[in-house]
Amino acid sequence: MTSPHFPPAETPSAALAGVTLRYPKGPVVLNGLDWQLLPGQVVGLLGRNGAGKTTLLETLLGLREPEAGRIALFGQDAARLDDAARARIGYVPQHSDLFESFTPAQLLAYFRSFYPRWNEAKVEGLMSRWDIDRDKPIRKLSGGQKQRLSIIRALAHEPDLLVLDEPVASLDPAGRRDFLRELVGEVLDRGATVVFSTHILSDLERVAFNIAFLSQGRIALQAPLDELLEQVRAFTGSVTEMAALMARLGVPPLKRTALQAGRERVLVRLPADAALPEGVAAERLNLDDLFTELT
Ligand code: ADP
């Protein structure tokens, strides 16, 4: 008898299960959060200011200890990563004021000494293309140049997991999306995982293949952007009508909003083969609407 062939399960680059974190005396920021990032995924982490994006990325990297939950990077406990796993991570924090008196050339030489793998040709290419002066003290670079340098440093050792916290915050609006696209192109061909946070929707268009919405301490939804636009619908009707519709569709609502006079508005991700009952009006949502409704 032959056994059915299953492809080997991929080890997630990052896996979080039931992660809860609160700052001392503060509210709960992450609340039983589950999340998985797979090789080859580019994920835009979307959430309002203060939703906890920075906290989540720091916690994912093992830089903050959650009060509950488990975090694995490449299958290893994030708090006890070995050096080989550590070398597979690239991280661009939102702000970093370290090394201000170094020049970019000195900074890169310093980091090169830590990594067994270091792509000097890529570094040189990006330094020229992104127009960074190698020999000026970092404190004299513009905010955008500092941010680009920080990204080059994080790309140089060809990480398998690249985590970027608001990577284009210091760039002008016109350049943001193009720059992100180029950045993502740098890592995609290697099957790496890229996750970047943003609160600016236009950053995501044509860049983030997957979007994760962070809301109330959890990932409310993660899916490819084109699928979301294709599948998410809003329905409005009486509570009874909506309950009947949900039962018929057999999917949990993403969000329910009570309206006046016993009516409600329900957001649903339709299954691919969903047939809507006659007479039911379904409203499509754009990315703006999704952001407003889900975060
Ligand atoms: P985002 O990146 O989405 O803007 P943050 O992760 O920076 O959100 O912050 C989430 C929440 O945690 C906010 O309410 C913020 O004020 C609070 N917070 C962030 N850092 C700290 C800290 N070090 N100590 C206490 N509260 C913090």
Side-chain angles (χ1 to χ4, degrees), residues 105-127:
Q106 289 168 331
L107 175 94
L108 292 166
Y110 175 74
F111 276 93
R112 185 167 53 222
S113 65
F114 288 107
Y115 291 98
R117 188 161 75 175
W118 185 270
N119 188 334
E120 190 63 27
K122 171 179 282 181
V123 169
E124 284 305 310
L126 290 175
M127 289 290 285

Side-chain angles (χ1 to χ4, degrees), residues 212-280:
F213 293 89
L214 176 63
S215 171
Q216 299 181 339
R218 292 180 187 225
I219 299 297
L221 177 66
Q222 176 171 331
L225 176 57
D226 50 354
E227 261 176 45
L228 282 179
L229 298 177
E230 192 50 45
Q231 297 172 351
V232 176
R233 295 284 189 286
F235 299 97
T236 307
S238 72
V239 171
T240 330
E241 283 165 350
M242 290 299 101
L245 179 63
M246 290 308 113
R248 175 163 173 157
L249 291 173
V251 288
L254 293 172
K255 191 184 175 200
R256 301 171 60 174
T257 314
L259 305 173
Q260 284 176 338
R263 292 168 67 78
E264 67 175 351
R265 176 183 158 87
V266 182
L267 220 62
V268 179
R269 188 171 171 202
L270 293 176
D273 56 353
L276 291 179
E278 240 168 273
V280 171

Side-chain angles (χ1 to χ4, degrees), residues 22-176:
R22 94 183 71 214
Y23 291 105
K25 299 199 193 95
V28 175
V29 180
L30 308 178
N31 191 6
L33 179 141
D34 299 322
W35 202 22
Q36 285 221 351
L37 301 170
L38 298 175
Q41 273 187 338
V42 177
V43 181
L45 174 64
L46 200 52
R48 300 194 177 215
N49 279 325
K53 299 181 294 298
T54 297
T55 305
L56 172 56
L57 296 180
E58 289 175 352
T59 307
L60 176 153
L61 290 164
L63 302 173
R64 289 192 181 278
E65 194 182 348
E67 64 187 57
R70 291 186 313 280
I71 304 163
L73 299 175
F74 312 114
Q76 293 183 13
D77 182 345
R80 290 181 204 78
L81 282 189
D82 63 26
D83 288 347
R86 224 178 276 276
R88 295 175 65 190
I89 297 170
Y91 173 43
V92 180
Q94 197 167 11
H95 304 287
S96 128
D97 298 329
L98 295 172
F99 307 105
E100 292 276 295
S101 60
F102 279 43
T103 64
Q106 289 168 331
L107 175 94
L108 292 166
Y110 175 74
F111 276 93
R112 185 167 53 222
S113 65
F114 288 107
Y115 291 98
R117 188 161 75 175
W118 185 270
N119 188 334
E120 190 63 27
K122 171 179 282 181
V123 169
E124 284 305 310
L126 290 175
M127 289 290 285
S128 306
R129 201 135 45 89
W130 292 353
D131 199 22
I132 298 165
D133 190 335
R134 288 168 179 70
D135 301 311
K136 210 174 178 179
I138 289 172
R139 66 170 180 279
K140 291 193 178 163
L141 301 182
S142 73
Q145 285 171 325
K146 282 186 198 174
Q147 210 161 23
R148 287 177 151 102
L149 175 63
S150 179
I151 290 169
I152 293 172
R153 177 194 55 66
L155 284 174
H157 62 284
E158 306 197 310
D160 295 316
L161 171 62
L162 180 62
V163 178
L164 308 122
D165 193 357
E166 297 268 359
V168 287
S170 304
L171 305 185
D172 55 72
R176 294 174 68 105

